[in-house]
Structures are given as C-alpha cells and as structure tokens.
Amino acid sequence: MSAQSPEKKLSQLGIQLPQIQESLGSYVDMVQVGNLVFLSGRGPLKADGKYIVGKVGQELTTDDGYRAARLTAINQLAILKGAFGSLNKIKRIVKVNGYVNTADLFTEQSKVMNGFSDLLIEVFGEQGRHARTSVGVYTLPQNMAVEAEMIIEMK
C-alpha cells in the first residue's frame, strides 16, 4: 500500500495552501544547499493578510498559540509548494526551530509548537517527524505570536 500524497492529505484536512506574501526583510524565503532546504522564519499570516498577534500566556492562550503555530506550518508548506511545484518532492522534515512570543512566566512553548509539528506529522506521516527547538522570546516582528523556521531534505 502506498502512502497518500501530502497534497491529498492536506485536502482531506480541509487545508488549502495560501498565496505567500513577500518576506518582511532583506532575505529570501529559502536557500537550497544540495538536497537540504533551509526555510527562513515565517509567522501565522491569515488569509486577510494580518498576523495572529500577541503574547501567548497574556493576550493568547496556549491553544491560541497552538493554532497560530499550525497556521505557520501551513504557510511554510505553501512556500515549499510554490518553489518546487509539489510537496511530493520532500523526503523528510529534518528540523524545526520555533519561537513563541510569550509572557514572562509562560513555560508551555513546546505545547504551542506542537501545533506546527502535529500538522507536519499529519501531512507527511513518519517523514514529518523532526528534531525541534521551542523557545520563548520577548517579542517577534510585527508582534506575531509564533515564528518558525525549518530544514527539509528533498528527494
């Protein structure tokens, strides 16, 4: 039995990949070195062009942060789909670095970033399991709730 394609899994989850806006600064969305792709940090940009903003543990709950991280993963997949034409070209997700805009005493960064990781596992199965770092930060660009970067291995 062959595994379902990532696009089919996204469709089953009711997820349509968005059009991606240009990056916020003087950098590119991704750099490929051999069969590794390094994605720049992205945040939870909604369809209306606005970010999910605020500090998790203050204006946002852990569940809100989880949803923001999930949306961030969707946005990162949209970058990959736009660059390579198909998510089938991804061999595995290697590493995720997650940054959570948090209140001073908030300690559930890993639970927030599970939103990002859980989506990748839903879409890619075992190839979506990855190494990860989850860090709480004082602030993020445009006060976005979450930012994440990834390293991907291509086929």
Side-chain angles (χ1 to χ4, degrees):
M1 183 167 74
S2 65
Q4 288 183 342
S5 76
E7 277 95 353
K8 179 142 179 119
K9 289 182 182 175
L10 284 168
S11 178
Q12 289 174 342
L13 293 168
I15 296 170
Q16 184 174 4
L17 296 179
Q19 292 292 96
I20 294 299
Q21 295 182 352
E22 289 187 29
S23 55
L24 297 176
S26 300
Y27 58 90
V28 295
D29 287 327
M30 54 175 256
V31 172
Q32 185 168 1
V33 178
N35 65 339
L36 292 180
V37 175
F38 298 78
L39 280 87
S40 295
R42 279 282 176 164
L45 187 66
K46 301 180 290 182
D48 65 4
K50 296 179 181 175
Y51 287 98
I52 296 173
V53 298
K55 290 192 175 294
V56 182
Q58 192 169 306
E59 298 95 352
L60 302 172
T61 65
T62 300
D63 287 341
D64 294 333
Y66 180 98
R67 287 187 290 276
R70 186 175 177 89
L71 178 57
T72 301
I74 292 167
N75 291 334
Q76 289 287 35
L77 293 181
I79 289 170
L80 290 166
K81 169 93 172 167
F84 296 105
S86 171
L87 297 178
N88 291 328
K89 296 179 181 179
I90 295 171
K91 184 173 182 179
R92 79 165 294 130
I93 310 299
V94 177
K95 172 83 169 148
V96 171
N97 289 324
Y99 308 95
V100 183
N101 185 0
T102 59
D104 289 346
L105 300 177
F106 185 82
T107 59
E108 296 185 334
Q109 290 83 1
S110 289
K111 289 181 181 179
V112 169
M113 288 311 301
N114 282 344
F116 194 98
S117 297
D118 289 350
L119 179 80
L120 296 178
I121 294 164
E122 288 176 54
V123 172
F124 294 101
E126 282 304 306
Q127 287 69 38
R129 293 192 184 278
H130 51 272
R132 186 183 81 193
T133 300
S134 302
V135 178
V137 297
Y138 179 73
T139 190
L140 287 169
Q142 301 196 19
N143 196 33
M144 63 179 112
V146 173
E147 182 175 4
E149 58 187 21
M150 302 196 306
I151 302 171
I152 306 296
E153 181 183 14
M154 303 300 290
K155 292 180 182 174

